[in-house]
Amino acid sequence: MSDWTNLWYVWLILLMVFLLLLCGVSASCVKFCCRKKRLPVETFPRHPCDLTVIGMDSDSTAHSTVT
């Protein structure tokens, strides 16, 4: 069996995986904390909109030209 202290590349891989995991957890915590403290900002202000609906019969000429 191999001695675990002589396998330096295994320790290097384990250290890199641990550091990546630590960075991911830290980034998630920072993102969560910043999103929680920041007030929600609307990108587009809401404006009142008017909607007009026109009823059309199937016998009207406008309907036959549209279809």
Side-chain angles (χ1 to χ4, degrees), residues 30-67:
V30 168
K31 185 177 179 180
F32 178 74
C33 290
C34 289
R35 183 175 40 157
K36 190 175 180 181
K37 291 180 183 178
R38 192 182 328 152
L39 294 174
V41 177
E42 291 185 13
T43 55
F44 298 107
R46 296 184 181 207
H47 298 291
C49 298
D50 293 332
L51 178 65
T52 305
V53 178
I54 301 172
M56 299 171 69
D57 289 339
S58 61
D59 296 336
S60 69
T61 56
H63 183 267
S64 62
T65 57
V66 170
T67 57

Side-chain angles (χ1 to χ4, degrees), residues 1-7:
M1 303 230 24
S2 300
D3 189 13
W4 282 98
T5 54
N6 291 336
L7 299 175

